[in-house]
Amino acid sequence: MKYMTFNSSCSYAAVANLLSFYSVDTEDRKIALEMGLPFLFDYEDGCYLSGPMLQGEKWFNLYLKTIGYAMTEKEIKREQLCAYLRDLQYAMLGIYVSERNKHAVIYTGIQDGKFCMLNNKWEQADEPDTLLLSEQELLQRVDEIIMVAVLEKAPCETVQTESLLEHSVSVLQALSKDITTFCSQEKSAMDIRLSMNTLFRAILLDGITMLDLIGESSTIQKLKVVQSQFMNAVKENKPLQIDQCLDIPLLNTAISEYIALIRTHV
């Protein structure tokens, strides 16, 4: 079994586990590095994304196509999920392991009349390697529409990422401007809390994780200072003008360093 080796990497560990069924030996960290994940950013549905939040066939195929595989995804309605899975050998999907926490698992077949799910986790986590779920238990843990992904053999391709890298620079530039604007205005405690995932996570959490993968300690140190300041602002749980709490010039310096790093790979 392939385990998670960096924060929030369950879907990347899932890809590694899927590949292991086809006798391909890899891991989440290798996938991330070989596809250039530390240098990729995106903006989707009002949310800035980076690192392990970049999921799905668009992103995973940056790696998979170079080794002769491809991922395809299909949206399945909840009431059709169990029948659909029964016709597959292996598949990746997201299920809720708690009320708000969705986690990538691998369907590996039916065992004792239950759906067997490989649980992508940290090696030392106090969780089972596999989950056995009845049809009712499985349906209680999924959304109304479920994205189910499978692997298939495909011709090897050289994947071009220049346009994605240029897009990532534009996204980071926009992120810097949006953070500066957001922090210059008084925001409610709820708005600040919501901004954790939509605005700040891409640079102050997943961005740090990605920089750690490539050993960029100087930029990490700057971001960790701002991360600590931001978490203190969240804990205040009251209306704030956040630029009175955050070192915005330091954050923008770190973002500029990140942009320069991406440009060296274009």
Side-chain angles (χ1 to χ4, degrees):
M1 177 169 174
K2 302 297 182 176
Y3 295 100
M4 296 170 58
T5 68
F6 61 89
N7 290 334
S8 304
S9 71
C10 62
S11 64
Y12 282 80
V15 174
N17 276 309
L18 270 177
L19 285 167
S20 70
F21 295 125
Y22 298 89
S23 300
V24 178
D25 184 19
T26 189
E27 64 175 6
D28 57 356
R29 186 174 297 256
K30 183 178 180 181
I31 293 169
L33 290 173
E34 292 195 6
M35 65 183 276
L37 187 63
F39 311 107
L40 300 174
F41 286 78
D42 201 10
Y43 181 79
E44 184 178 331
D45 298 329
C47 187
Y48 286 95
L49 302 169
S50 69
M53 297 300 102
L54 298 176
Q55 305 172 11
E57 64 179 56
K58 170 185 174 180
W59 303 103
F60 295 139
N61 281 337
L62 296 177
Y63 170 77
L64 291 168
K65 289 188 175 182
T66 67
I67 62 168
Y69 287 86
M71 175 177 284
T72 56
E73 295 176 314
K74 186 173 182 179
E75 291 185 342
I76 304 297
K77 294 180 180 179
R78 177 190 285 161
E79 60 269 22
Q80 299 171 345
L81 176 64
C82 294
Y84 184 73
L85 289 178
R86 286 190 178 97
D87 287 336
L88 300 176
Q89 187 174 17
Y90 306 110
M92 180 169 73
L93 65 155
I95 69 172
Y96 286 95
V97 293
S98 64
E99 184 178 353
R100 297 182 180 180
N101 183 19
K102 189 187 285 186
H103 188 70
V105 296
I106 303 296
Y107 166 73
T108 61
I110 303 295
Q111 182 177 324
D112 299 327
K114 294 188 175 183
F115 292 84
C116 187
M117 302 288 180
L118 184 67
N119 182 26
N120 306 290
K121 62 168 193 166
W122 293 92
E123 186 171 7
Q124 304 303 325
D126 186 21
E127 302 172 22
D129 286 352
T130 58
L131 304 171
L132 288 177
L133 303 174
S134 68
E135 183 169 330
Q136 182 179 5
E137 288 170 333
L138 175 58
L139 296 181
Q140 288 174 342
R141 291 178 179 232
V142 296
D143 292 321
E144 289 287 344
I145 301 293
I146 306 97
M147 189 70 76
V148 180
V150 297
L151 287 187
E152 57 188 2
K153 290 284 290 181
C156 287
E157 293 183 24
T158 300
V159 177
Q160 302 297 326
T161 60
E162 286 83 358
S163 62
L164 290 175
L165 293 169
E166 291 169 354
H167 175 68
S168 297
V169 168
S170 298
V171 170
L172 267 177
Q173 290 170 335
L175 174 61
S176 177
K177 291 178 181 178
D178 283 352
I179 287 178
T180 300
T181 299
F182 182 87
C183 292
S184 69
Q185 305 164 354
E186 183 175 289
K187 298 294 182 179
S188 69
M190 178 62 73
D191 284 342
I192 294 170
R193 186 167 296 278
L194 289 174
S195 73
M196 291 175 66
N197 283 325
T198 60
L199 189 60
F200 290 94
R201 174 170 182 152
I203 190 66
L204 293 184
L205 182 60
D206 298 322
I208 290 174
T209 297
M210 291 296 97
L211 289 169
D212 185 56
L213 287 187
I214 55 176
E216 291 292 329
S217 57
S218 177
T219 305
I220 288 173
Q221 289 172 2
K222 295 180 180 70
L223 291 174
K224 282 190 171 180
V225 169
V226 182
Q227 181 193 63
S228 178
Q229 294 170 340
F230 177 69
M231 292 311 300
N232 287 336
V234 172
K235 291 173 185 176
E236 288 282 337
N237 197 32
K238 65 181 183 182
L240 290 172
Q241 183 173 321
I242 309 180
D243 61 7
Q244 297 177 357
C245 311
L246 264 62
D247 190 337
I248 299 299
L250 182 65
L251 175 57
N252 285 331
T253 296
I255 292 176
S256 294
E257 290 177 358
Y258 211 141
I259 289 172
L261 186 63
I262 295 170
R263 282 179 167 152
T264 65
H265 289 77
V266 174

